[in-house]
mmCIF file of all heavy atoms in Angstrom:
data_model
loop_
_atom_site.group_PDB
_atom_site.id
_atom_site.type_symbol
_atom_site.label_atom_id
_atom_site.label_comp_id
_atom_site.label_asym_id
_atom_site.label_seq_id
_atom_site.Cartn_x
_atom_site.Cartn_y
_atom_site.Cartn_z
ATOM 1 N N ALA A 202 116.249 103.798 111.005
ATOM 2 C CA ALA A 202 115.494 104.741 111.529
ATOM 3 C C ALA A 202 115.997 106.162 111.132
ATOM 4 O O ALA A 202 115.162 107.056 110.691
ATOM 5 C CB ALA A 202 115.340 104.806 113.082
ATOM 6 N N GLN A 203 117.285 106.403 111.200
ATOM 7 C CA GLN A 203 117.877 107.651 110.669
ATOM 8 C C GLN A 203 117.498 107.859 109.204
ATOM 9 O O GLN A 203 117.125 109.004 108.787
ATOM 10 C CB GLN A 203 119.275 107.639 110.948
ATOM 11 C CG GLN A 203 119.726 107.620 112.445
ATOM 12 C CD GLN A 203 121.204 107.367 112.585
ATOM 13 O OE1 GLN A 203 121.962 108.344 112.120
ATOM 14 N NE2 GLN A 203 121.759 106.346 113.156
ATOM 15 N N LEU A 204 117.783 106.874 108.380
ATOM 16 C CA LEU A 204 117.553 106.915 106.950
ATOM 17 C C LEU A 204 116.065 107.203 106.617
ATOM 18 O O LEU A 204 115.844 107.847 105.785
ATOM 19 C CB LEU A 204 118.123 105.688 106.239
ATOM 20 C CG LEU A 204 119.633 105.486 106.367
ATOM 21 C CD1 LEU A 204 120.051 104.050 106.080
ATOM 22 C CD2 LEU A 204 120.340 106.353 105.447
ATOM 23 N N LEU A 205 115.254 106.566 107.415
ATOM 24 C CA LEU A 205 113.798 106.677 107.197
ATOM 25 C C LEU A 205 113.390 108.200 107.498
ATOM 26 O O LEU A 205 112.450 108.641 106.908
ATOM 27 C CB LEU A 205 113.118 105.649 107.959
ATOM 28 C CG LEU A 205 111.577 105.315 107.647
ATOM 29 C CD1 LEU A 205 111.513 104.924 106.148
ATOM 30 C CD2 LEU A 205 111.140 104.151 108.613
ATOM 31 N N ALA A 206 113.915 108.691 108.564
ATOM 32 C CA ALA A 206 113.575 109.990 108.981
ATOM 33 C C ALA A 206 113.891 110.984 107.984
ATOM 34 O O ALA A 206 113.256 111.945 107.596
ATOM 35 C CB ALA A 206 114.273 110.322 110.343
ATOM 36 N N LEU A 207 115.053 110.812 107.283
ATOM 37 C CA LEU A 207 115.538 111.596 106.161
ATOM 38 C C LEU A 207 114.732 111.456 105.017
ATOM 39 O O LEU A 207 114.288 112.343 104.267
ATOM 40 C CB LEU A 207 117.075 111.461 105.949
ATOM 41 C CG LEU A 207 117.995 111.935 106.982
ATOM 42 C CD1 LEU A 207 119.387 111.292 106.819
ATOM 43 C CD2 LEU A 207 118.023 113.548 106.979
ATOM 44 N N LEU A 208 114.535 110.167 104.522
ATOM 45 C CA LEU A 208 113.773 109.848 103.310
ATOM 46 C C LEU A 208 112.361 110.074 103.409
ATOM 47 O O LEU A 208 111.666 110.436 102.385
ATOM 48 C CB LEU A 208 114.234 108.558 102.852
ATOM 49 C CG LEU A 208 115.553 108.218 102.338
ATOM 50 C CD1 LEU A 208 115.630 106.699 102.102
ATOM 51 C CD2 LEU A 208 115.922 108.993 101.034
ATOM 52 N N GLY A 209 111.794 109.960 104.633
ATOM 53 C CA GLY A 209 110.299 110.108 104.712
ATOM 54 C C GLY A 209 109.643 108.665 104.867
ATOM 55 O O GLY A 209 110.177 107.639 104.313
ATOM 56 N N GLU A 210 108.543 108.497 105.501
ATOM 57 C CA GLU A 210 107.854 107.301 105.642
ATOM 58 C C GLU A 210 107.325 106.835 104.343
ATOM 59 O O GLU A 210 106.929 107.677 103.572
ATOM 60 C CB GLU A 210 106.782 107.372 106.813
ATOM 61 C CG GLU A 210 107.408 107.456 108.237
ATOM 62 C CD GLU A 210 107.853 106.070 108.805
ATOM 63 O OE1 GLU A 210 107.539 105.059 108.030
ATOM 64 O OE2 GLU A 210 108.469 106.065 109.783
ATOM 65 N N PRO A 211 107.006 105.649 104.134
ATOM 66 C CA PRO A 211 106.293 105.122 103.011
ATOM 67 C C PRO A 211 104.925 105.725 102.797
ATOM 68 O O PRO A 211 104.281 105.991 103.659
ATOM 69 C CB PRO A 211 106.094 103.647 103.066
ATOM 70 C CG PRO A 211 107.204 103.212 104.165
ATOM 71 C CD PRO A 211 107.375 104.392 104.994
ATOM 72 N N GLY A 212 104.727 106.186 101.573
ATOM 73 C CA GLY A 212 103.422 106.828 101.198
ATOM 74 C C GLY A 212 103.366 108.428 101.225
ATOM 75 O O GLY A 212 102.480 108.968 100.819
ATOM 76 N N THR A 213 104.676 109.001 101.725
ATOM 77 C CA THR A 213 104.721 110.392 101.639
ATOM 78 C C THR A 213 105.389 110.869 100.349
ATOM 79 O O THR A 213 106.006 110.127 99.812
ATOM 80 C CB THR A 213 105.418 110.872 102.909
ATOM 81 O OG1 THR A 213 106.813 110.391 103.006
ATOM 82 C CG2 THR A 213 104.764 110.434 104.270
ATOM 83 N N PRO A 214 105.253 112.126 100.131
ATOM 84 C CA PRO A 214 105.952 112.704 98.888
ATOM 85 C C PRO A 214 107.468 112.351 98.903
ATOM 86 O O PRO A 214 108.073 112.384 99.950
ATOM 87 C CB PRO A 214 105.699 114.127 99.045
ATOM 88 C CG PRO A 214 104.512 114.377 99.806
ATOM 89 C CD PRO A 214 104.489 113.238 100.760
ATOM 90 N N THR A 215 107.963 112.074 97.703
ATOM 91 C CA THR A 215 109.428 111.672 97.718
ATOM 92 C C THR A 215 110.285 112.931 97.451
ATOM 93 O O THR A 215 111.618 112.847 97.500
ATOM 94 C CB THR A 215 109.623 110.873 96.493
ATOM 95 O OG1 THR A 215 109.257 111.209 95.254
ATOM 96 C CG2 THR A 215 108.911 109.433 96.784
ATOM 97 N N SER A 216 109.635 114.007 97.097
ATOM 98 C CA SER A 216 110.483 115.318 96.908
ATOM 99 C C SER A 216 109.417 116.371 97.317
ATOM 100 O O SER A 216 108.399 116.194 97.682
ATOM 101 C CB SER A 216 111.033 115.470 95.418
ATOM 102 O OG SER A 216 109.844 115.391 94.570
ATOM 103 N N GLY A 217 109.891 117.681 97.024
ATOM 104 C CA GLY A 217 109.114 118.830 97.409
ATOM 105 C C GLY A 217 109.463 119.981 96.564
ATOM 106 O O GLY A 217 110.191 119.920 95.693
ATOM 107 N N THR A 218 108.889 121.149 96.912
ATOM 108 C CA THR A 218 109.036 122.311 96.278
ATOM 109 C C THR A 218 110.590 122.781 96.507
ATOM 110 O O THR A 218 110.948 123.009 97.649
ATOM 111 C CB THR A 218 108.179 123.463 96.565
ATOM 112 O OG1 THR A 218 106.745 122.984 96.354
ATOM 113 C CG2 THR A 218 108.417 124.727 95.889
ATOM 114 N N SER A 219 111.357 122.926 95.376
ATOM 115 C CA SER A 219 112.675 123.253 95.525
ATOM 116 C C SER A 219 113.136 124.064 94.245
ATOM 117 O O SER A 219 112.603 123.795 93.266
ATOM 118 C CB SER A 219 113.547 122.086 95.729
ATOM 119 O OG SER A 219 114.978 122.445 95.738
ATOM 120 N N SER A 220 114.030 124.941 94.486
ATOM 121 C CA SER A 220 114.754 125.709 93.319
ATOM 122 C C SER A 220 116.189 125.767 93.620
ATOM 123 O O SER A 220 116.545 125.961 94.795
ATOM 124 C CB SER A 220 114.169 126.960 93.195
ATOM 125 O OG SER A 220 114.224 127.897 94.193
ATOM 126 N N PRO A 221 117.055 125.785 92.677
ATOM 127 C CA PRO A 221 118.468 125.841 92.956
ATOM 128 C C PRO A 221 118.842 127.084 93.782
ATOM 129 O O PRO A 221 118.395 128.161 93.446
ATOM 130 C CB PRO A 221 119.143 126.046 91.560
ATOM 131 C CG PRO A 221 118.177 125.190 90.730
ATOM 132 C CD PRO A 221 116.734 125.670 91.306
ATOM 133 N N GLY A 222 119.635 126.863 94.826
ATOM 134 C CA GLY A 222 120.062 128.071 95.552
ATOM 135 C C GLY A 222 118.979 128.664 96.525
ATOM 136 O O GLY A 222 119.170 129.434 97.338
ATOM 137 N N ALA A 223 117.843 127.887 96.662
ATOM 138 C CA ALA A 223 116.857 128.457 97.567
ATOM 139 C C ALA A 223 116.309 127.221 98.533
ATOM 140 O O ALA A 223 116.406 126.104 98.156
ATOM 141 C CB ALA A 223 115.678 128.907 96.720
ATOM 142 N N ALA A 224 115.769 127.564 99.607
ATOM 143 C CA ALA A 224 115.387 126.652 100.607
ATOM 144 C C ALA A 224 114.157 125.993 100.029
ATOM 145 O O ALA A 224 113.113 126.622 99.457
ATOM 146 C CB ALA A 224 115.209 127.179 101.934
ATOM 147 N N ALA A 225 113.969 124.670 100.257
ATOM 148 C CA ALA A 225 112.749 123.975 99.903
ATOM 149 C C ALA A 225 111.589 124.450 100.819
ATOM 150 O O ALA A 225 111.847 124.788 101.967
ATOM 151 C CB ALA A 225 112.965 122.390 100.004
ATOM 152 N N SER A 226 110.432 124.323 100.277
ATOM 153 C CA SER A 226 109.155 124.560 101.023
ATOM 154 C C SER A 226 109.227 123.589 102.175
ATOM 155 O O SER A 226 109.335 122.332 101.915
ATOM 156 C CB SER A 226 107.918 124.542 100.159
ATOM 157 O OG SER A 226 106.756 124.594 100.958
ATOM 158 N N ALA A 227 108.868 123.902 103.328
ATOM 159 C CA ALA A 227 108.691 122.986 104.321
ATOM 160 C C ALA A 227 107.611 122.126 104.302
ATOM 161 O O ALA A 227 107.443 121.062 104.816
ATOM 162 C CB ALA A 227 108.708 123.841 105.846
ATOM 163 N N GLU A 228 106.536 122.579 103.582
ATOM 164 C CA GLU A 228 105.351 121.785 103.438
ATOM 165 C C GLU A 228 105.526 120.707 102.366
ATOM 166 O O GLU A 228 105.754 121.012 101.213
ATOM 167 C CB GLU A 228 104.116 122.818 103.108
ATOM 168 C CG GLU A 228 102.838 122.150 102.874
ATOM 169 C CD GLU A 228 101.735 123.001 102.535
ATOM 170 O OE1 GLU A 228 101.915 124.306 102.426
ATOM 171 O OE2 GLU A 228 100.641 122.656 102.260
ATOM 172 N N GLY A 229 105.425 119.552 102.893
ATOM 173 C CA GLY A 229 105.487 118.350 101.940
ATOM 174 C C GLY A 229 106.839 117.948 101.529
ATOM 175 O O GLY A 229 106.933 116.874 100.994
ATOM 176 N N ALA A 230 107.860 118.701 101.904
ATOM 177 C CA ALA A 230 109.200 118.283 101.553
ATOM 178 C C ALA A 230 109.846 117.282 102.480
ATOM 179 O O ALA A 230 109.765 117.495 103.715
ATOM 180 C CB ALA A 230 110.149 119.443 101.341
ATOM 181 N N PRO A 231 110.459 116.258 102.081
ATOM 182 C CA PRO A 231 111.096 115.385 103.034
ATOM 183 C C PRO A 231 112.297 116.043 103.705
ATOM 184 O O PRO A 231 112.820 117.082 103.213
ATOM 185 C CB PRO A 231 111.515 114.201 102.151
ATOM 186 C CG PRO A 231 111.704 114.665 100.706
ATOM 187 C CD PRO A 231 110.609 115.798 100.637
#
């Protein structure tokens, strides 16, 4: 359950908006 919470449920995006040194966009990011 912990790993699934971090990785995301099946069918959701596997990554998100991210750039080095910056926070990922909360929208859509696991």
Side-chain angles (χ1 to χ4, degrees):
Q203 298 173 59
L204 294 162
L205 196 56
L207 289 166
L208 292 174
E210 287 283 350
T213 58
T215 59
S216 59
T218 302
S219 176
S220 60
S226 168
E228 183 178 355

